[in-house]
């Protein structure tokens, strides 16, 4: 068993190197988060690291809020969540998820780290009405799943509730999450501090928010993944990662220094300090990989999938 499997390094086209990524893949990381390449580059990268990996399938993630054009330079943009929300276009939301999954799989990406289900009137929020957000995001997730990709609902407990009381969030921010618990593959906590719940820690490092609120009070039984670490600019990543794991985060995404994080996770696992947590996380990882590998959804060429996106945009 390789504890490194719970870590997903970032790969930034133009600054990261393929030999380093292949070395990380051979070391046993669970996958990668890709940033800033063309469709051709992303596909080549996915093939190269999968060939270097000891696993049957290495997961490749797209860290997006709206669509793949955020991370793939030549990917066509899709209608914004706010536009779909303004039209209450649940059919369009489903189609956005389906086409996003088809584009992703055409370049070797398995996992869309979306949708955002914050309550608001600006993108990437769908709208200001909690139940409408639940319906729109639910249809998006259904589209992603039917397209053969994994999804991830974010950013718990809801960035729009950062100044609200817990009681106020119960009637707003928590609504989409509670309606999607059984449909989502994973939930991503925010990297922000929600002072009315836990004034001392970021949500993704908070025992009160992940174990106390999400898992106990709201009874969520699924996978929890960390917000990409490089965005959070945490100074001591290894210490933060161990705290995240102890709080119930199961997969560590895009650290600034993947080697330090991998060394720490392996060392603490060997000591027996995080054994149970890692075993549980790897079980979820294997479930995700199996779900992708056994999907019967058709895989389109990049040209075909991108053409669907361009037609949808019209």
């Amino acid at each position: 068993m390789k504890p490194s499997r719970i870590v997903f390094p970032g790969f930034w086209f133009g600054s990261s190197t393929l030999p380093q990524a292949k070395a990380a893949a051979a070391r046993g990381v669970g996958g990668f988060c890709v940033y800033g390449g063309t469709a051709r580059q992303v596909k080549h990268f996915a093939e190269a690291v999968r060939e270097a990996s000891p696993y049957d399938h290495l997961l490749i993630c797209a860290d997006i809020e709206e669509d793949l054009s955020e991370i793939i330079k030549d990917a066509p943009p899709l209608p914004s969540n706010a536009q779909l929300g303004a039209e209450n276009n649940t059919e369009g939301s489903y189609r956005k998820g389906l086409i996003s999954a088809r584009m992703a799989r055409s370049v070797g990406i398995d996992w869309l780290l979306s949708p955002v289900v914050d309550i608001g009137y600006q993108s990437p929020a769908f709208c200001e009405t909690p139940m409408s957000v639940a319906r729109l995001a639910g249809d998006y997730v259904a589209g992603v799943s039917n397209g053969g990709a994994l999804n991830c609902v974010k950013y718990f407990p809801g960035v729009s509730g950062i100044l609200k009381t817990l009681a106020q969030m119960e009637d707003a921010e928590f609504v989409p999450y509670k309606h999607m618990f059984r449909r989502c593959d994973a939930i991503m906590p925010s990297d922000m501090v929600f002072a009315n719940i836990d004034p001392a820690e970021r949500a993704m490092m908070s025992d009160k928010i992940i174990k106390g609120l999400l898992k106990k009070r709201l009874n969520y039984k699924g996978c929890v993944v960390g917000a990409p670490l490089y965005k959070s600019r945490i100074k001591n990543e290894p210490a933060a990662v161990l705290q995240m794991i102890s709080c119930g985060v199961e997969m560590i995404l895009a650290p600034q220094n993947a080697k330090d994080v991998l060394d720490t996770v392996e060392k603490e696992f060997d000591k027996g300090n995080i054994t149970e947590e890692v075993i549980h996380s790897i079980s979820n990882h294997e479930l995700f990989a199996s779900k992708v590998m056994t999907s019967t959804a058709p895989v389109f060429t990049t040209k075909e999938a991108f053409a669907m996106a361009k037609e949808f945009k019209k």
Side-chain angles (χ1 to χ4, degrees):
M1 178 179 295
K2 294 181 179 291
S4 51
R5 196 169 184 177
I6 71 172
V7 180
F8 287 61
F11 187 87
W12 291 267
F13 291 90
S15 58
S16 302
T17 69
L18 185 56
Q20 288 178 329
K22 291 171 73 173
R27 186 171 178 175
V29 299
F32 291 86
C33 297
V34 292
Y35 297 91
T38 63
R40 184 185 297 273
Q41 287 174 322
V42 172
K43 188 171 185 177
H44 172 72
F45 170 79
E47 291 170 349
V49 292
R50 282 176 175 143
E51 185 176 351
S53 173
Y55 309 129
D56 291 336
H57 190 77
L58 195 70
L59 295 173
I60 307 296
C61 302
D63 174 22
I64 62 174
E65 294 192 334
E66 283 284 2
D67 59 50
L68 285 167
S69 68
E70 297 166 45
I71 62 162
I72 299 179
K73 292 179 179 179
D74 50 347
L78 297 176
S80 70
N81 292 344
Q83 178 183 337
L84 295 170
E87 300 167 352
N88 194 28
N89 190 349
T90 53
E91 181 180 347
S93 189
Y94 172 85
R95 191 177 176 195
K96 180 176 181 178
L98 181 66
I99 292 175
S100 294
R102 288 175 173 175
M103 285 199 293
R105 295 187 71 207
S106 78
V107 298
I109 292 172
D110 313 290
W111 196 353
L112 298 175
L113 302 178
S114 64
V116 176
V117 296
D118 290 334
I119 309 298
Y121 62 91
Q122 291 182 324
S123 190
F126 284 98
C127 63
E128 296 182 276
T129 307
M131 275 307 303
S132 293
V133 172
R135 284 192 292 268
L136 290 156
D139 283 329
Y140 173 90
V141 161
V144 171
S145 297
N146 288 343
L150 302 169
N151 63 74
C152 178
V153 180
K154 59 189 185 184
Y155 299 94
F156 188 82
V159 175
S160 50
I162 196 164
L163 299 178
K164 295 180 181 179
T165 65
L166 190 58
Q168 290 172 325
M169 295 181 76
E170 286 274 10
D171 296 329
E173 280 69 24
F174 298 167
V175 171
Y177 289 99
K178 289 188 287 187
H179 278 79
M180 297 177 68
F181 278 169
R182 294 184 180 180
R183 304 176 68 180
C184 65
D185 293 308
I187 285 179
M188 180 186 292
S190 169
D191 65 353
M192 300 175 69
V193 175
F194 290 76
N196 286 332
I197 306 174
D198 185 349
E201 301 290 353
R202 302 169 189 243
M204 67 180 184
M205 297 168 61
S206 169
D207 200 72
K208 292 180 181 178
I209 290 176
I210 297 175
K211 285 186 177 179
L213 177 57
L214 179 59
K215 295 191 173 185
K216 186 175 181 180
R217 181 167 177 170
L218 299 182
N219 199 34
Y220 175 64
K221 304 297 185 183
C223 181
V224 178
V225 302
L229 278 169
Y230 86 97
K231 292 182 177 180
S232 306
R233 302 189 181 278
I234 293 172
K235 293 182 179 180
N236 189 341
E237 283 188 329
V241 164
L242 293 180
Q243 184 171 337
M244 290 166 68
I245 293 171
S246 73
C247 291
V249 171
E250 298 171 57
M251 298 181 194
I252 307 300
L253 307 182
Q256 296 181 68
N257 191 323
K259 183 180 182 304
D260 284 354
V261 168
L262 285 167
D263 289 345
T264 298
V265 168
E266 290 176 348
K267 181 179 179 180
E268 293 302 309
F269 179 81
D270 289 342
K271 289 180 179 180
N273 294 335
I274 56 173
T275 304
E276 291 185 10
E277 291 87 348
V278 169
I279 290 172
H280 180 72
S281 300
I282 289 176
S283 176
N284 266 331
H285 184 283
E286 291 175 346
L287 175 65
F288 287 170
S290 175
K291 185 174 180 179
V292 169
M293 292 175 68
T294 59
S295 172
T296 58
V299 179
F300 295 87
T301 67
T302 302
K303 183 178 180 180
E304 290 171 334
F306 281 23
M308 293 176 195
K310 292 174 182 176
E311 184 63 28
F312 181 29
K313 184 66 176 178
K314 295 179 183 178

